[in-house]
Amino acid sequence: MDSTPPPRLHLRRDALAQGWSDEELGRLTRQGDWTRLRRGAYVEAAEPPDATTRHRLLIDAALAGLQRPAVVSHQSAAVLLGFPLWGCRLDQVHVTRQPRATTAIGRSLRVHVARLQDDDVVVVGGIAVTSPLRTALDLARTIPFEAAVANLDAALRRDLVDHDALRSRVAAAAGVTGVRQAVRVTVADARSESVGESRSRVLLHRLGLPPSDLQFEVRTPSGLVVARTDFVWEEERVVGEFDGRVKYGRLLRPGQHPGDAVFEEKRREDLIRDEDWRVVRWTWGELVHPASVHRRVQRALVRGAGRLG
């Protein structure tokens, strides 16, 4: 993990109170010494390239400018709670206030209005933040389905959220705006080990080709495990693999070359086939081309069923 401290945040109001002028702030920005993060907020040097680090700074800037208190929520809460995030916009800070407040959507701040119970709020670094469970529910209700599943899979895998508690909370939220969408993400599964696997699972269900299980162990007749596969269709004796691991170095051991990892993966696939299983693979690029994945998986299932028939 990168231990580099985030760049220092400067607020215009504090700088003016300390005797700086807008002209001086403008000069620092033009010279590249400071970078404007949002209206009235600057960071030293360049803006952080990492979206999560940048969003943490945006949260600090937004909270400093609030006229009335609010609870950090949704994607912003996820960032502070350490949720792994994929497919979420981080250009706005999200906060929630209790009813009788009004919703507001600005360029860099979005104010939600919702009832928060006492156990819906925790404190992180001195900041009031929606709890992990409430944050998971809010994400499930408000972000696109594929992104919600991928993010909740990761949260479950890291034990940030309890699956049974999430299901119960969704069931208890009947009638709440967005709860129908939230119900769908109770299919989140901690066994998905990457965003690619989560996206693959969503796609396979949409294609009407749901696997019978995840993280399936292929064994020899004596019980020896020769491989653990991402997906399986047991009746057709077909296993599926999201092929993103070698490309992104997840199989590489210290000092190992990519070519060696590719060779080992080929040998692993041979061992799977030796046990009379068909193997079907797809890549990152194919996840945005459903017809290609559908054709490949469907062909493997048909051939697998025909072979057994």
Side-chain angles (χ1 to χ4, degrees), residues 98-149:
Q98 298 280 11
R100 297 192 70 178
T102 56
T103 60
I105 302 176
R107 184 174 180 180
S108 57
L109 178 69
R110 180 161 189 161
V111 179
H112 303 262
V113 176
R115 295 192 181 279
L116 295 174
Q117 306 300 324
D118 289 344
D119 60 357
D120 282 336
V121 182
V122 297
V123 177
V124 177
I127 299 173
V129 180
T130 50
S131 68
L133 184 58
R134 176 58 190 246
T135 300
L137 179 63
D138 285 340
L139 291 177
R141 291 189 304 112
T142 58
I143 66 175
F145 179 55
E146 184 184 48
V149 170

Side-chain angles (χ1 to χ4, degrees), residues 264-280:
E264 287 189 11
E265 186 68 3
K266 175 64 168 62
R267 183 173 178 275
R268 172 178 172 276
E269 185 169 319
D270 289 341
L271 291 173
I272 295 172
R273 295 184 191 279
D274 286 346
E275 299 306 320
D276 200 28
W277 289 88
R278 285 186 174 273
V279 180
V280 57

Side-chain angles (χ1 to χ4, degrees), residues 12 29 31-32 43 85 116-117 128 235-236 248-249 265 267:
R12 173 180 176 272
T29 303
Q31 292 173 173
V43 291
L85 287 178
L116 295 174
Q117 306 300 324
E235 288 189 7
E236 295 84 359
Y248 293 95
E265 186 68 3
R267 183 173 178 275

Side-chain angles (χ1 to χ4, degrees), residues 145-146 149 197-207:
F145 179 55
E146 184 184 48
V149 170
E197 289 181 32
S198 298
R199 294 181 63 196
S200 296
R201 194 172 84 255
V202 170
L203 176 58
L204 291 169
H205 278 269
R206 283 178 174 167
L207 295 174

Side-chain angles (χ1 to χ4, degrees), residues 2-307:
D2 186 5
S3 59
T4 303
R8 184 180 176 187
L9 177 68
H10 295 276
L11 300 177
R12 173 180 176 272
R13 68 177 190 188
D14 294 338
L16 295 181
Q18 294 167 9
W20 294 72
S21 68
D22 281 324
E23 182 180 343
E24 289 172 305
L25 298 182
R27 184 169 62 252
L28 285 170
T29 303
R30 290 191 298 274
Q31 292 173 173
D33 296 319
W34 285 12
T35 300
R36 187 174 182 270
L37 186 66
R38 50 159 282 181
R39 184 178 180 181
Y42 305 83
V43 291
E44 292 182 0
E47 181 178 302
D50 175 60
T52 299
T53 300
R54 182 177 184 276
H55 195 72
R56 287 177 181 271
L57 291 166
L58 281 173
I59 291 171
D60 290 340
L63 294 181
L66 291 181
Q67 299 299 314
R68 291 183 293 117
V71 177
V72 176
S73 61
H74 297 75
Q75 292 96 307
S76 301
V79 167
L80 294 182
L81 291 167
F83 276 41
L85 287 178
W86 172 85
C88 289
R89 290 181 56 182
L90 292 177
D91 56 336
Q92 288 181 316
V93 172
H94 292 253
V95 299
T96 295
R97 290 194 174 111
Q98 298 280 11
R100 297 192 70 178
T102 56
T103 60
I105 302 176
R107 184 174 180 180
S108 57
L109 178 69
R110 180 161 189 161
V111 179
H112 303 262
V113 176
R115 295 192 181 279
L116 295 174
Q117 306 300 324
D118 289 344
D119 60 357
D120 282 336
V121 182
V122 297
V123 177
V124 177
I127 299 173
V129 180
T130 50
S131 68
L133 184 58
R134 176 58 190 246
T135 300
L137 179 63
D138 285 340
L139 291 177
R141 291 189 304 112
T142 58
I143 66 175
F145 179 55
E146 184 184 48
V149 170
N151 293 323
L152 292 181
D153 281 354
L156 291 170
R157 187 170 66 251
R158 297 190 186 185
D159 292 325
L160 295 171
V161 179
D162 179 78
H163 203 179
D164 290 338
L166 178 60
R167 286 176 176 271
S168 297
R169 189 61 184 269
V170 169
V176 175
T177 301
V179 75
R180 289 188 178 182
Q181 180 170 325
V183 167
R184 298 182 299 171
V185 297
T186 57
V187 302
D189 196 313
R191 293 176 297 171
S192 285
E193 296 181 338
S194 69
V195 169
E197 289 181 32
S198 298
R199 294 181 63 196
S200 296
R201 194 172 84 255
V202 170
L203 176 58
L204 291 169
H205 278 269
R206 283 178 174 167
L207 295 174
L209 300 170
S212 58
D213 207 354
L214 309 179
Q215 307 305 330
F216 178 74
E217 293 181 339
V218 176
R219 297 175 178 266
T220 65
S222 64
L224 177 67
V225 177
V226 299
R228 183 165 61 90
T229 63
D230 299 335
F231 307 97
V232 66
W233 292 263
E234 294 175 81
E235 288 189 7
E236 295 84 359
R237 291 189 71 82
V238 173
V239 297
E241 296 273 86
F242 167 67
D243 200 7
R245 294 174 300 176
V246 173
K247 180 177 179 182
Y248 293 95
R250 287 177 54 192
L251 294 182
L252 292 180
R253 297 189 297 273
Q256 188 180 33
H257 295 291
D260 297 330
V262 172
F263 176 79
E264 287 189 11
E265 186 68 3
K266 175 64 168 62
R267 183 173 178 275
R268 172 178 172 276
E269 185 169 319
D270 289 341
L271 291 173
I272 295 172
R273 295 184 191 279
D274 286 346
E275 299 306 320
D276 200 28
W277 289 88
R278 285 186 174 273
V279 180
V280 57
R281 293 179 174 275
W282 55 90
T283 63
W284 273 106
E286 291 173 296
L287 291 178
V288 295
H289 298 289
S292 173
V293 177
H294 184 275
R295 184 167 53 251
R296 190 171 302 172
V297 174
Q298 184 68 55
R299 183 168 59 240
L301 294 178
V302 169
R303 289 177 177 175
R307 177 184 54 186

